[in-house]
Amino acid sequence: MIAPQPPATPVPARAVRKAVVPAAGLGTRFLPATKATPKEMLPVVDKPAIQYVVEEAAAAGLDDVLMVTGRHKRAIEDHFDHAFELEQALAAKGDTARLDAVRDPARLADIHHIRQGDPLGLGHAVLCARHHVGNEPFAVLLGDDLIDPRETLLSRMLEVRERYAGSVVALMEVDPARTHLYGCAAVEPAGGDDVVRVTGLVEKPTPATAPSRYAVIGRYVLDPAVFGVLERTPPGRGGEIQLTDALQELAAAGTVHGVVFSGLRYDTGDKADYLRTVVRLACARADLGPEFTRWLKEFVADLPAPAAEPERHHRAALEGAVEAPPTSGQTVADAPLRPFTPANVA
């Protein structure tokens, strides 16, 4: 008779220190502004959107950042480099505040750049990072998703990766009418208040075919095993290599977990949401918020009443920017939804 074997000791997960930021998109939704300016460089108050993303990575302890860019994206590289003439001019004037602001992007992390030669999708952009990442776990942060600086989503995802190994995706609950905008996850409880096991993924499903209301947002912590899967993943929706398809294979093997996010997220990939993002972050600034909020209240008070229900966000979003932030982990355009509990996914 064979004696029962003790359970295997879990292999400690390797620490994550590298981040990949795909930034090769054409930004067609913001034309003509993005004809000569990368969409990632559009200002959110007084910093480009991509700087918020790199600051988030650095705050979570990721000190090695690879940006996957494309043609006409040189401005991104320049922003995260030193501008010696500008720095000398500011130093000569004794303008230390602006000098620090100019120097900060280059000091955030060890930043590298590689070009995605062909626009073959997010999965292909991640695959472009393979030689830089090597056989290490790594984070992927999408530039269209800004997580409020007061949130700790990425740090929480790194904790979950350390506990369970494998890959981790960020999830949020969305209205069923918006599932077609996201990849949606089939999930089951995993024993934590905000952690689930992802059993399947569907890219941009209709409300009728969505496996749940839990959508994947632009934060991932990926095991290097994803590279091998991406290499053999055929083009999917839109003729592109979809990261969702690769994660679906890993999820089927039981190696993908999700962190359900219930904090504040901003979507800068849509014009209306981009404007809401600027308003909300400006209101939250100690140097701009009080004066800007007073003006905004006056402006909103003078607006004519909305003509029809489809225009309800026109006034409500501005009023909400003054009065209270969302509380359900949604973008500023989403209506509040019930908070996550493990019972929601049973």
Side-chain angles (χ1 to χ4, degrees):
M1 181 176 178
I2 300 175
Q5 299 296 312
T9 302
V11 178
R14 299 183 65 176
V16 182
R17 53 177 294 269
K18 294 182 178 179
V20 175
V21 180
L26 297 176
T28 54
R29 284 183 286 181
F30 282 86
L31 287 170
T34 51
K35 178 181 177 181
T37 302
K39 69 171 183 175
E40 296 84 4
M41 291 299 295
L42 294 179
V44 179
V45 188
D46 55 2
K47 293 188 293 189
I50 198 168
Q51 183 172 334
Y52 289 87
V53 175
V54 177
E55 287 174 347
E56 179 188 352
L62 307 182
D63 57 5
D64 185 322
V65 177
L66 175 68
M67 297 188 181
V68 183
T69 65
R71 289 180 289 276
H72 313 301
K73 298 279 187 169
R74 179 62 183 270
I76 296 176
E77 297 182 29
D78 290 343
H79 181 72
F80 289 97
D81 199 357
H82 289 283
F84 293 105
E85 295 84 357
L86 178 58
E87 291 176 21
Q88 288 175 355
L90 293 172
K93 294 197 307 183
D95 193 341
T96 56
R98 288 189 175 90
L99 180 59
D100 284 341
V102 168
R103 287 175 170 171
D104 280 347
R107 300 187 295 202
L108 287 171
D110 188 7
I111 298 176
H112 311 265
H113 305 268
I114 189 173
R115 283 192 175 183
Q116 182 183 10
D118 298 308
L120 298 179
L122 176 58
H124 180 258
V126 172
L127 191 55
C128 289
R130 182 173 195 171
H131 291 296
H132 180 82
V133 169
N135 193 34
E136 298 181 32
F138 62 104
V140 175
L141 296 85
L142 304 191
D144 286 348
D145 279 328
L146 301 188
I147 304 300
D148 191 280
R150 294 164 292 188
E151 304 289 352
T152 57
L153 171 61
L154 187 55
S155 294
R156 176 60 176 149
M157 294 174 69
L158 296 175
E159 292 173 357
V160 173
R161 155 70 196 187
E162 184 176 0
R163 177 178 178 182
Y164 294 103
S167 297
V168 184
V169 299
L171 302 173
M172 71 174 187
E173 189 179 3
V174 299
D175 189 287
R178 295 174 63 86
T179 57
H180 68 286
L181 300 174
Y182 303 91
C184 289
V187 298
E188 61 185 26
D193 289 342
D194 63 341
V195 181
V196 294
R197 180 176 293 103
V198 176
T199 59
L201 289 158
V202 180
E203 180 69 16
K204 298 181 178 179
T206 65
T209 59
S212 75
R213 294 171 60 171
Y214 293 102
V216 180
I217 60 175
R219 296 295 180 270
Y220 309 81
V221 177
L222 301 178
D223 190 86
V226 74
F227 291 127
V229 180
L230 284 169
E231 276 193 330
R232 61 176 183 270
T233 298
R237 188 185 184 100
E240 299 180 338
I241 299 175
Q242 301 290 347
L243 180 60
T244 302
D245 293 340
L247 289 173
Q248 162 66 21
E249 181 172 329
L250 295 176
T255 61
V256 179
H257 286 79
V259 171
V260 179
F261 181 56
S262 58
L264 188 54
R265 163 187 171 264
Y266 310 101
D267 183 353
T268 60
D270 170 84
K271 290 179 183 178
D273 281 341
Y274 169 79
L275 293 174
R276 296 183 186 104
T277 297
V278 174
V279 169
R280 285 193 177 277
L281 290 179
C283 288
R285 288 271 293 262
D287 57 337
L288 297 174
E291 179 182 354
F292 182 63
T293 298
R294 284 193 296 270
W295 171 85
L296 191 59
K297 286 181 177 180
E298 295 173 0
F299 175 74
V300 170
D302 292 337
L303 285 177
E309 176 63 18
E311 299 296 323
R312 66 188 176 93
H313 286 310
H314 175 72
R315 188 181 182 103
L318 289 175
E319 291 175 337
V322 176
E323 300 300 334
T327 58
S328 60
Q330 306 308 301
T331 66
V332 294
D334 287 330
L337 298 166
R338 62 198 171 103
F340 168 79
T341 62
N344 291 350
V345 302

